[in-house]
Amino acid sequence: PQDTQIPEGEYTFRVGEEEATVEFPGGRIQEFAQAINRQAEHLVQANAVRDTTDTVILSLEAQETGATNRMELLGETARLGVELGILEREERLERPVELTDATVTLEAGDPDGLEIVDNEIRLDPGVEAGVPVEPNIDPTDDYVLRFEYEVIRVDDPPVEPLEPPQIPGPDLPEPGRIQFEDIEIFGEPWEIELPELEEPGPPEEPVEDFRVISALSEEEEYQLPELEEREEPHQAQIPLADYADRVIALAFRNRNTHHKVVLRNIVVDDIDARGEYVPRHPSQTARDAQLELNGVPVTRSTNEIDDLIPRTTLRLHRASEKPVQVGIMPDVEEIQDGILDMMSYYNQLMSEINVLTRTEEEVLDQIAWENQEERERAEERLGMLQGNSTLMRLRSSLITIMTNSYPTSAGRELSMLAQIGIASDTRDPGQRSFDLGRLRGYMELDESAFQRALSANIGAVRQLFGADQTGDGAVDGGIAYEVEQHVSAYTGTGGLLATRYQRIENSIDQVEREMARLEDRLARREEDYRRDFGRMERELEQLEEMESQLDSLAPQQRR
């Protein structure tokens, strides 16, 4: 009923491993839904819809997708869910598969390579084992096999160098000899034919096969999806009904030569269960997306898959029993962002050249500064390289490249940037006066014209920026190619700017060496002066002493 009151309290929701608590002061269902959306919007979305004039339907939706992100209502929230008719109590199917020495049977491999501890089974390379599922189960759409696993790479055991085998021969007596007068005759040595040594064959190729788990019925074996190579614990959930009609046992086969497999906490579970409650009217349960790509089964937690086809995102909309022909569309937004980035860098370069080579204050007024400090720093550099021919040539050549025409598949209809909405028009429509800022070489984008050009002929737009003009599969024409080639002559290794920079550095080094030489010369000259001054002071002292002696002799002579 629409006038149902939700009591005051704290209501907790769990999605996967994350929880959120909503503090609600009490009120109607619509207010309760609003409180959920304010306080737990990252986890749960609530909607209260009036289906009649007197009743309202409350729906709850987890914001994360995937089988591991089931939504649960905890504590008071679960009891409220039962009162509102969202949940009902049900005995949960959770059938653990016991992994003990008594239940697990070694089928192949070294017994020392099978280890079972605390409901965990470890299989070394080459080990195969099986375990019964009791009682047997007939899977439905709600039954899943849940477990935790690790696939750990192991190194090859150290190989001792092979020693040639020592083949023992028969114990033969020494050949005899006889003496005839002065002649001694020896018997002929024994000759034994030994078998030839067989060289060891080449080592076996390593095996990587992560299809480790199979479900067994009375007559068939059903291969379950392969595991991933993960050396940290990872949760897996497999819908049994998609692979098996009946399960009486599980088989574990580690055919890998360089990986150890660890499985633990294997459970057959009901995915719709929420603790001791199940939803009464589920519109959709938390499940993984499943598809086959070229016959390979793939499972993901979301319908947007970006890691199967390089640089391509698959968006799954609905199930299909037939193969789906995939059409790949260009990412127009990424194309536009790339072109806008190029324009931004181009305009930044133009503004920097204008600041360095011009002295008029108007240059600063035509640039959108992020803050006053940035403008003040540019004002300090204003006209610093006025008349620099290198920068002026760079500016002029870049403007020419950006305004030239280039061959495309659209011919004259699309051969210039201005035809896709990118231009440096020096006059506004209907005006005769020139815009001084546009004369500086800045580029502007007409977004609507650009979108029309992309929709009408995206291939020609691509050729405008980069085209293969010689048919060798490499880009050798277009605006971006010309800009890259031209700028590389300035910025590349051994380029004009690097050469100019090195020349200036060499000049600075030369001046610094000359300054050091002059400073050394000055120091030596100062030392000479100090030495001469010291000598002069000593002579002056001697003269003063002589004068004093003469003064003392003068009275005696007068007497």
Side-chain angles (χ1 to χ4, degrees), residues 7-22:
E8 178 183 358
E10 294 184 349
Y11 298 93
T12 303
F13 301 86
R14 176 190 294 159
V15 176
E17 300 297 327
E18 189 175 357
E19 295 183 6
T21 299
V22 177

Side-chain angles (χ1 to χ4, degrees), residues 476-488:
D476 50 22
I479 294 170
Y481 174 82
E482 293 294 336
V483 169
E484 194 269 341
Q485 291 293 310
H486 189 77
V487 172
S488 294

Side-chain angles (χ1 to χ4, degrees), residues 407 463 466-478 481-482:
Q463 294 167 359
D468 175 16
Q469 297 179 348
T470 58
D472 59 356
V475 174
D476 50 22
Y481 174 82
E482 293 294 336

Side-chain angles (χ1 to χ4, degrees), residues 162 198-206:
L162 294 176
E198 294 184 3
E199 295 185 1
E204 296 182 358
E205 291 291 329

